[in-house]
Structures are given as C-alpha cells and as structure tokens.
C-alpha cells in the first residue's frame, strides 16, 4: 500500500504552475484499500494471516492504523529516508526484499495503480522479481485449491483465468467495498504488531533503492501549459452565451 | 545497442506507434523494428513495413496462445537479445500496462506508462505523462541503457510512410508453459453510440443518484446532438451504462469540440480521456471538485436543477 497525499487538496501556483503538496493530509488509495479488504475477506473465509506492507513518509505510522483496523494482522512500514525518491525499479526491489524476508506467502495483492500517478508498475515488476505469475485489472476473484480464479477486465473482453499460487494479483475498485472499521477495531489496531523496517533490516543499499538508484528522472512536473479558461458561470444563460461565442453549439 | 522496437497486441495501436517511432528513429538516425508475437500477428509484417519498420522480429510458441505478461515479457526479452534495441514502445492498453513494467524489470530498465507525449530534446527522449491525480504533467527521461514506454492507445494516428520494404527475422523462442489458464473469454458488445467520434460528449459520474437520472442527461444530449459517456463507476460498478461508453484510462479516448462533465469529480483516470476536447464544461455541486481545474466553463450546482435550465436556455 502506498501512502499518497490527498489529491483533491492540491493547489497550483498561478505564476509557476508548480503544485503545492507540502503539508497536505495523506491517505491510502481506493484500489489499495480494495486489495486489503479482499485479503481480509479471504482470511475470514479460509484462515491464514494478512500482512500489510506500506511505504511512505513518517506519517505512515498513523495512516497504517487504518489498514490494521480493516483487518491486517500485522504491518510492516517502510518510512526510512533512504527509501525516499525511489522510482518504480527501486520500489519494486525494496518490496521484493521485504516479501522475501517475510518468507512464506500465498498471495500478493496490490492495487492496479496508486491514486497519485496510477503508473501500475509495481505489481508486474514485483511479479518479475519474485518470478511469479500475475494478473491485473482484476474485478472478481476467488481462491481455489492451489490457485486463484480471477476475472480480468480488458478493453475488448472480460477474461476468466486461473492462476497458480503464489501469484501477484492487482485489483480495481469494483472488486469490493472496503469496510469502515468499527471503533472497537480501530482501538484494537493500535495493539497489533507494527514493524518499521530500514535498509539494514531489508538488506538493500543506496545503489538499489532511493533517489540515487532511480533511473527515471523527472525534468519537470507542472500543471499543463494549455490551461483551461476556468471561468465560473453564474447561471445557465451565461454558460450558453459563452458556448455560442466559442462556436461549439452548432450541430 | 541502438534503435526502437515497437510491440503491441493491438494492431491499430501498433501501427500508430510505428508512425511516431518512424519519426523519432529518423531524427535519431537509428533503426525501427517491430516485434510480432503469436501466430495471428505474424501476418501484420507487411503493414508494419508500410508504416516504417525496417525489421520485423517474428516469434511464435504454444505458450503465447493466451496473453500473459510473464510469457510475453520473456518472449520480448529474447527478441531484444537479438534486436539490441534500446527504446521499447508498447501501447498502454490493459495488457500493455502489465507487460511494459515486467519487461522493464527483466531488463533492469526504467519505464513510463500512460505516456501522452514523446519528443527528443538535446538528444534525449522526453516522455510526458499525467501525474498527481491529473493535476500535473511530468516530463521524464530514463537513464538506464534500455527504456520501456507504454504509450496511451490512439495517441498517434497510423499513417503509412517510410520505404515500405523490410526484412522478416524469425526468432526461435524458448518459453516456459504459463502458470495461468484461460477459463473463459467474454467479448464485450459494441454499443450504438461512439464516444470516440462524438463532436459533443456528455460524461456522467458518481454524482448521479440513480439510473433514472440518465433520462435527464439523455434529453440534454439530444438537444446538443451529442453522445453520453461515463466514468468508470457507472459502467463497472453500477452497470448503468455499457462498458464501451466509459471514457478515460483503459476506456475510450475522446476529442469532441464540446465536452460536458456532469456529476463527476475529474480524477485522472477519466480526464486523460478528454484532454483533447476543444471546450470543457463542468457541472458539479462541489465547488472544489477537481474537474473545475480542467474546465473552460463551470457551473456550481445540483445537476437536477442546472440541466433542465440549461435545456431551456438552449431553446
């Protein structure tokens, strides 16, 4: 689970087109919450253990309680400054090391993309590093004996596939509706095991993760130049008049 | 290592990528090649040559019968061992979004998905994609020896060009049988409305409270001579609208002269599909809704009140 800033609250500096992201609240994306909810439902049905792994800033110590309240049995958080600035290549290496250290697992569930950039790179990269089969765009799933049956939502078709376990499955928000944990679960969450792992715990160096190891460099990240007019109309008449002037109403 | 290799499981996406790839390769003075995987796509070689590819690497194997990112990434890596291309372009289709990062990891390479622009600057390939929930456009460069880029489908229109001659290179692939089995494939039905070609497009989202609300929206669409599309929840969660009316990432990309977004928040997953609209109008009851940031004109208000008045004003 990736901790991201609340995107609804981003402001753009009018003069420089730079986004202002400092000090914004952080949260987990919907897809990731669905992945966790599914893990908890599988556990409730079949038994087992759910470990939540999350990366983000120091604020993650609070954010992660949400995952524990939804039903993760334990959590590992990756907040070390050495991990910051990782690109997808580095983040996948980090997560693969964490999962290898956890040891035994049957299913790795992730969101199909993070709420901020939706690049969707981590699930396939992780699957490659762990040499596992993968399925993305999963909107329905059921764990069977030694395999998971998924329905993948593709452009031209819905595909029902069986994937041998262990596997990496990345899910969309149609999969389920994440529960809103009751107060008792929130209180219990604070007592569940929470581990903070640093580079030495995981066994990674700055040549593998972090800003130094990144191979994707961001030259600029600005609001688009072809800015929209952003004119707020007082009423419908004003809008229709504006659209007539734009010449977009003729049939 | 040099040159561009293009792969997509989707033919029109492939030819569009070759069209852009041809321009980039010419500017870089490097070769353009295409990878054709599986029995069906081997027949596309001549069309690929007509779109600028000089080499077609063709590989087939029983393991390629059903698309699986693991198998296809392995096949492409084997082709790359021969082609030695340093830039790999694929389509950011759902399958492409799984394939590109997996291949990149195999190559210890950087990757950018959902690219919306590719250009050369100071000899480097700059790749733009939306970031921060669609608020920004990030310009990226990749410094690993190889780079894998998944480009938004339909970004580049296919146009024949180049010298139309090319060479087919058969590649013997060694692939493990996939650890997945296809149980069933249910093709999606094409609807009557075509959001991709609509001149006027109205999109609706979660702000609608019930399916019955669509009647009002359809009335507006009729008035404007437009088509009604939707965001993902309406087609995939509520099933109020057909999936081929979903606009945005992994749905349809539209470029109408007039777009109206009604009762939708304006998340990146939707707005990437409407960026090329000439005029964008937003109607939302939340004045802070993200969609207003990408709109030319906005009205804050309940669509149940705004839309009837709008219909009236349109006469």
């Amino acid at each position: 689970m990736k901790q991201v800033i609340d995107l609804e609250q981003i402001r753009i500096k009018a003069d420089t087109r730079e986004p202002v992201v400092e000090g914004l609240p952080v949260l987990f994306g919907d897809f990731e919450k669905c992945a966790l909810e599914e893990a908890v439902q599988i556990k409730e049905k079949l038994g087992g253990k759910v470990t939540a792994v999350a990366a983000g800033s120091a604020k993650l110590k609070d954010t992660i309680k949400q995952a524990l309240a939804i039903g993760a049995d334990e959590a590992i958080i990756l907040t070390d400054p050495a991990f910051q600035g990782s690109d997808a290549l580095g983040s996948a290496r980090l997560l693969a090391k964490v999962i290898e250290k956890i040891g035994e697992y049957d299913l790795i569930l992730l969101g199909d993309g993070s709420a901020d950039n939706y690049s969707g790179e981590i699930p396939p990269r992780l699957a490659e590093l762990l040499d596992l089969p993968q399925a993305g765009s999963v909107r329905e799933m059921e764990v069977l004996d030694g395999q998971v049956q998924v329905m993948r939502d593709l452009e031209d078709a819905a595909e029902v596939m069986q994937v041998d376990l262990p596997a990496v499955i990345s899910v969309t928000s149609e999969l389920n509706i994440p529960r809103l944990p009751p107060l008792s679960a929130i209180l219990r969450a604070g007592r569940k095991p929470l581990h903070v792992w640093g580079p030495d715990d995981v066994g990674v160096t700055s040549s593998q993760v972090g800003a130094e190891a990144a191979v994707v460099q961001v030259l600029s990240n600005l609001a688009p130049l072809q800015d929209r007019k952003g004119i707020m109309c007082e009423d419908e008449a004003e809008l229709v008049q504006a659209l007539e002037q734009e010449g977009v109403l003729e049939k | 290592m040099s040159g561009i290799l293009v792969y997509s499981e989707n033919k029109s996406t492939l030819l569009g990528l070759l069209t852009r790839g041809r321009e980039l390769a010419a500017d870089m003075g490097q070769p353009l090649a295409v990878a054709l995987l599986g029995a069906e796509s081997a027949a596309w070689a001549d069309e690929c040559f007509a779109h600028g590819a000089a080499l077609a690497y063709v590989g087939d194997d029983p393991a390629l019968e059903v698309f699986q990112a693991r198998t296809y990434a392995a096949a492409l890596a084997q082709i790359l061992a021969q082609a030695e291309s340093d830039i790999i372009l694929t389509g950011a289709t759902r399958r492409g979004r799984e394939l590109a990062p997996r291949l990149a990891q195999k190559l210890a390479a950087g990757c950018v998905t959902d690219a919306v622009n590719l250009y050369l600057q100071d000899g480097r390939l700059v790749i733009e994609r939306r970031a921060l929930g669609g608020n920004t456009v990030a310009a990226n460069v990749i410094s690993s020896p190889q780079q894998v880029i998944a480009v938004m489908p339909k970004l580049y229109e296919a146009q024949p060009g180049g010298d139309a001659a090319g060479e087919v290179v058969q590649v013997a692939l060694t692939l493990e049988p996939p650890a997945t089995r296809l149980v069933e494939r249910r093709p999606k039905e094409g609807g009557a409305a075509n959001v991709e070609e609509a001149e006027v497009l109205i999109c609706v989202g979660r702000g609608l409270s019930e399916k019955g609300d669509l009647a009002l929206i359809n009335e507006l669409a009729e008035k404007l001579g437009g088509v009604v599309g939707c965001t993902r929840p309406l087609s995939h969660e509520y099933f109020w609208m057909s999936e081929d009316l979903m606009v945005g990432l992994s749905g349809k990309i539209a470029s109408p002269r007039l777009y109206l977004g009604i009762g939708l928040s304006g998340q990146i997953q939707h707005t990437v599909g409407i960026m090329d609209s000439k005029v964008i109008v937003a109607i939302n009851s939340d004045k802070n809704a993200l969609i207003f940031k990408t709109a030319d004109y906005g009205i804050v208000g309940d669509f149940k009140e705004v839309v009837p008045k709008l219909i009236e004003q349109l006469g």
Side-chain angles (χ1 to χ4, degrees):
Chain A
M1 301 179 82
K2 178 182 178 184
Q3 176 189 257
V4 297
I5 52 170
D6 185 351
L7 301 163
E8 304 271 347
Q9 300 197 33
I10 292 178
R11 285 185 306 105
I12 302 292
K13 286 186 194 164
D15 50 346
T16 61
R17 293 188 285 125
E18 283 171 296
V20 182
V21 298
E22 288 79 21
L24 292 185
V26 289
L27 39 80
F28 288 128
D30 289 342
F31 286 15
E32 280 130 315
K33 278 198 265 183
C34 290
L36 174 65
E37 172 66 34
E38 195 67 20
V40 174
Q41 285 185 18
I42 293 167
K43 184 193 117 172
E44 287 167 350
K45 203 168 146 195
L46 301 172
K49 179 179 166 188
V50 177
T51 306
V53 179
S57 69
K59 290 178 185 170
L60 190 52
K61 270 189 180 165
D62 287 324
T63 321
I64 195 66
K65 289 192 180 129
Q66 195 185 359
L68 291 166
I70 287 175
D73 297 295
E74 104 178 87
I76 295 158
I77 59 172
L78 308 161
T79 56
D80 197 282
F83 302 148
Q84 308 297 324
S86 294
D87 61 5
L89 179 69
S91 298
R93 280 182 184 140
L94 172 61
L95 291 171
K97 287 277 190 187
V98 168
I99 290 167
E100 278 166 4
K101 188 176 169 178
I102 290 170
E104 278 187 68
Y105 55 87
D106 300 295
L107 190 55
I108 301 169
L109 279 160
L110 302 97
D112 225 21
S114 63
D116 54 355
N117 290 337
Y118 193 69
S119 78
E121 284 193 53
I122 300 299
R125 282 183 179 273
L126 199 50
E128 178 61 29
L129 282 166
L130 299 170
D131 195 22
L132 297 177
Q134 72 181 86
S137 304
V138 168
R139 56 179 295 167
E140 278 175 27
M141 62 181 283
E142 189 184 358
V143 174
L144 308 170
D145 190 25
Q147 55 186 333
V148 58
Q149 180 159 313
V150 300
M151 187 170 93
R152 276 155 58 70
D153 203 354
L154 303 173
E155 288 92 344
D156 53 347
E159 263 183 11
V160 180
M161 296 196 87
Q162 289 177 345
V163 185
D164 290 344
L165 295 175
V168 175
I169 304 293
S170 57
V171 310
T172 65
S173 55
E174 290 83 33
L175 185 65
N176 57 47
I177 298 167
R179 68 193 70 184
L180 288 170
L183 185 62
S184 58
I186 295 168
L187 292 173
R188 262 201 316 278
R191 295 196 297 269
K192 287 184 175 176
L194 171 62
H195 313 284
V196 184
W197 284 0
D200 293 341
D201 303 303
V202 186
V204 290
T205 63
S206 59
S207 65
Q208 295 167 306
V209 304
E212 232 175 278
V215 295
V216 176
Q217 281 82 34
V218 181
L219 301 179
S220 67
N221 188 17
L222 302 173
L225 191 57
Q226 55 116 18
D227 254 342
R228 295 285 169 175
K229 296 192 176 85
I231 298 171
M232 299 307 284
C233 299
E234 286 302 316
D235 57 29
E236 294 74 16
E238 194 186 325
L239 175 62
V240 170
Q241 199 186 357
L243 296 180
E244 272 168 358
Q245 277 171 7
E246 292 273 2
V248 291
L249 285 184
E250 307 90 47
K251 281 186 195 173
Chain B
M1 255 189 258
S2 68
I4 300 174
L5 182 83
V6 179
Y7 169 79
S8 178
E9 81 288 350
N10 179 292
K11 190 170 145 195
S12 67
T13 302
L14 179 70
L15 298 179
L17 288 173
L18 282 169
T19 303
R20 182 61 181 145
R22 179 177 81 221
E23 298 161 356
L24 293 169
D27 287 348
M28 295 188 297
Q30 290 182 0
L32 177 67
V34 63
L36 299 171
L37 296 178
E40 190 195 332
S41 65
W44 302 349
D46 283 338
E47 260 178 288
C48 292
F49 297 146
H51 285 76
L55 283 166
Y57 293 92
V58 176
D60 196 12
D61 188 281
L64 296 171
E65 196 185 333
V66 175
F67 177 89
Q68 225 294 323
R70 188 195 214 180
T71 332
Y72 272 66
L76 282 177
Q78 288 173 25
I79 282 175
L80 282 164
Q82 206 165 323
E84 298 192 329
S85 322
D86 48 20
I87 296 172
I88 299 99
L89 301 180
T90 189
T93 58
R94 301 240 176 133
R95 294 175 179 94
R97 277 174 55 88
E98 290 184 26
L99 176 65
R102 184 139 197 171
L103 176 63
Q105 194 65 42
K106 225 177 228 311
L107 305 170
C111 174
V112 174
T113 58
D114 299 337
V116 295
N117 194 11
L118 298 176
Y119 57 93
L120 292 168
Q121 191 178 65
D122 306 326
R124 292 188 301 182
L125 181 63
V126 180
I127 311 132
E128 291 185 349
R129 84 184 304 279
R130 286 275 166 150
L132 289 176
N135 281 290
T136 57
V137 174
N140 303 283
V141 289
I142 301 176
S143 59
S144 47
Q146 284 171 294
Q147 44 184 309
V148 186
I149 302 150
V151 181
M152 287 296 278
K154 301 187 192 83
L155 182 66
Y156 299 114
E157 200 179 322
Q159 277 165 358
D163 67 8
E167 186 193 339
V168 172
V169 181
Q170 295 285 343
V171 181
L173 301 171
T174 316
L175 301 172
E176 285 175 34
T180 57
R181 287 154 303 281
L182 181 67
V183 178
E184 191 190 349
R185 176 176 284 141
R186 296 176 213 149
K188 291 182 183 171
E189 292 163 27
N194 187 340
V195 298
E196 286 166 326
E197 276 154 36
E199 283 292 312
V200 175
L201 176 66
I202 304 177
C203 283
V204 288
R206 258 186 226 276
L208 266 59
S209 42
E210 54 181 337
K211 195 177 177 185
D213 290 341
L214 286 173
L216 181 60
I217 305 298
N218 285 332
E219 201 182 321
L220 177 62
E222 209 168 299
K223 197 88 193 166
L224 290 166
V227 169
V228 181
C230 63
T231 61
R232 197 179 166 90
L234 264 57
S235 53
H236 288 67
E237 280 177 48
Y238 306 161
F239 308 108
W240 291 352
M241 294 180 67
S242 120
E243 289 181 2
D244 55 317
L245 296 174
M246 197 262 274
V247 175
L249 212 58
S250 68
K252 299 287 193 258
I253 307 295
S255 50
R257 68 167 188 265
L258 174 61
Y259 165 92
L260 288 97
I262 302 178
L264 54 86
S265 61
Q267 293 290 328
I268 179 178
Q269 287 87 343
H270 177 66
T271 53
V272 291
I274 61 159
M275 280 187 308
D276 290 334
S277 307
K278 183 165 178 249
V279 171
I280 294 181
V281 175
I283 299 170
N284 200 298
S285 54
D286 175 6
K287 70 172 170 40
N288 294 319
L290 210 53
I291 189 70
F292 287 125
K293 291 186 186 177
T294 46
D296 295 294
Y297 300 99
I299 288 191
V300 177
D302 184 343
F303 77 91
K304 284 180 188 169
E305 291 165 22
V306 175
V307 172
K309 285 189 209 157
L310 194 54
I311 292 171
E312 198 186 309
Q313 286 290 333
L314 288 164

